[in-house]
Amino acid sequence: MGLEQMGVGIPDKLCGRPFDAADLERIRAEIVAAEPPQRSEIARRVCRALEWTDALGRPKLMSARVGLLRLHRAGLIELPAPSRGNGNGRGLLRGPERWPEPVAVVGTVGDLGGLRLEAVLDASASRLWNGLIARYHYLGYTPLPGAQLRYLVHCEGGVLGAIGFGAAAWKVAVRDRWIGWDAACREAHLGRVLNNARFLLLPWVRVKHLASKVLALAAARIPKDFAARYGERVVLLETFVERPRFAGTCYRAANWHYLGETTGRGKCDRTHQAALPRKGVYVYPLTAGFRAALGVVR
């Protein structure tokens, strides 16, 4: 008896992409045919078989790997064991070659020379970003989902922190009402919303107004960087601030809009059963016409 007949349902969406039984069978066939039998090769084959590409025609490998892992965990497919030991939230295989020196940085943001964001584009920068988040962020390191942008915060004195953006939450009641989305409109346009999933200033950095300045720098860069990397336009940023751990002061200071609180089900919940801390929902439009770009007609 197959898993579908045993009550394991086939999702109608996979990472925002329409999905059905025929797609599942294609994936199973690609798993069997993959040579070498590795998850990365399977993702490449699946992107080709399902024509899973971005606006520039490039395979959406990250989204495919996330989707394959979800199917694997649901028991609908069987993936080979990971070939590397740092994936899927199991810790880092290799840390950065050099950690920043824990030297106190104080004052105001105007005192910092050369303040900038440097995009994470190579393996060395990636290891540093991942390592900083793993060591110093309260949520730790897990791979960001979907299309993403990561930056290291630099000044003339060295690295000050890290910030990262990944795929938006699937469904957020207060956000969706504020935008004016129904379910179909949200599914069609969710890829134009980007989630600020991690934001870290190193614990020895105590610079007034630095956090809101970093958010402003990120908002200025993201539209161009995202379009260059993915060939698509992102028009809205979102983030979730855990209560009462944080007050969200830097987001308010950077002119993000506070919309209300989550229900405590998590950003990818589909079962309505999760019990997580409630979080404040903040959004930042990147263009005046963001609602029209998100499919809302008024």
Side-chain angles (χ1 to χ4, degrees):
M1 180 180 294
L3 286 166
E4 295 88 333
Q5 286 72 45
M6 295 169 61
V8 180
I10 298 172
D12 57 6
K13 293 280 185 179
L14 190 64
C15 294
R17 180 194 183 280
F19 193 76
D20 58 22
D23 292 328
L24 181 61
E25 290 306 315
R26 291 191 192 98
I27 289 174
R28 289 170 173 167
E30 295 301 333
I31 292 172
V32 172
E35 182 60 42
Q38 296 176 350
R39 294 187 179 194
S40 57
E41 175 63 17
I42 292 168
R44 282 190 287 270
R45 296 181 68 101
V46 165
C47 284
R48 185 167 58 248
L50 301 185
E51 298 182 350
W52 199 345
T53 58
D54 63 19
L56 297 178
R58 299 172 301 192
K60 299 182 75 169
L61 293 171
M62 189 170 297
S63 293
R65 294 192 70 160
V66 171
L68 289 168
L69 184 59
R70 290 178 184 171
L71 296 174
H72 174 77
R73 289 175 173 170
L76 291 167
I77 63 173
E78 185 173 351
L79 292 173
S83 58
R84 299 178 63 184
N86 66 330
N88 307 330
R90 297 182 306 175
L92 298 171
L93 179 66
R94 179 181 175 187
E97 297 174 2
R98 182 179 178 183
W99 292 95
E101 292 292 331
V103 177
V105 182
V106 297
T108 67
V109 70
D111 299 328
L112 295 174
L115 179 64
R116 65 196 185 277
L117 301 184
E118 291 192 0
V120 173
L121 299 175
D122 58 34
S124 177
S126 183
R127 287 194 295 270
L128 178 56
W129 193 97
N130 295 348
L132 293 177
I133 296 297
R135 177 174 288 189
Y136 297 112
H137 197 283
Y138 82 103
L139 291 174
Y141 168 78
T142 55
L144 298 181
Q148 61 183 255
L149 296 172
R150 292 179 295 161
Y151 302 95
L152 291 165
V153 184
H154 280 264
C155 72
E156 290 175 353
V159 177
L160 302 174
I163 188 167
F165 298 80
W170 176 252
K171 182 189 298 184
V172 184
V174 293
R175 178 202 66 189
D176 297 345
R177 284 197 301 269
W178 181 80
I179 292 173
W181 268 346
D182 57 22
C185 192
R186 184 190 72 241
E187 291 180 15
H189 299 283
L190 188 63
R192 290 188 169 181
V193 181
L194 206 57
N195 177 261
N196 176 206
R198 292 290 188 272
F199 186 14
L200 169 73
L201 295 179
L202 294 170
W204 52 87
V205 177
R206 294 286 186 269
V207 177
K208 192 173 183 181
H209 306 311
L210 176 58
S212 57
K213 179 63 174 180
V214 170
L215 290 170
L217 290 173
R221 284 201 52 172
I222 282 172
K224 182 177 179 180
D225 289 354
F226 194 87
R229 181 173 297 184
Y230 297 106
E232 297 178 295
R233 182 182 175 207
V234 62
V235 299
L236 184 70
L237 304 178
E238 68 178 17
T239 198
F240 303 94
V241 177
E242 184 173 324
R243 302 287 187 82
R245 183 186 292 267
F246 302 108
T249 304
C250 67
Y251 290 96
R252 295 177 190 267
N255 296 316
W256 288 54
H257 302 285
Y258 173 70
L259 303 184
E261 290 190 343
T262 65
T263 57
R265 296 209 230 9
K267 70 188 293 287
C268 296
D269 176 62
R270 307 289 179 87
T271 65
H272 310 288
Q273 296 177 350
L276 299 173
R278 288 179 177 269
K279 298 182 179 182
V281 181
Y282 292 81
V283 296
Y284 186 87
L286 295 172
T287 176
F290 73 95
R291 282 192 172 90
L294 293 174
V296 177
V297 179
R298 289 188 171 181

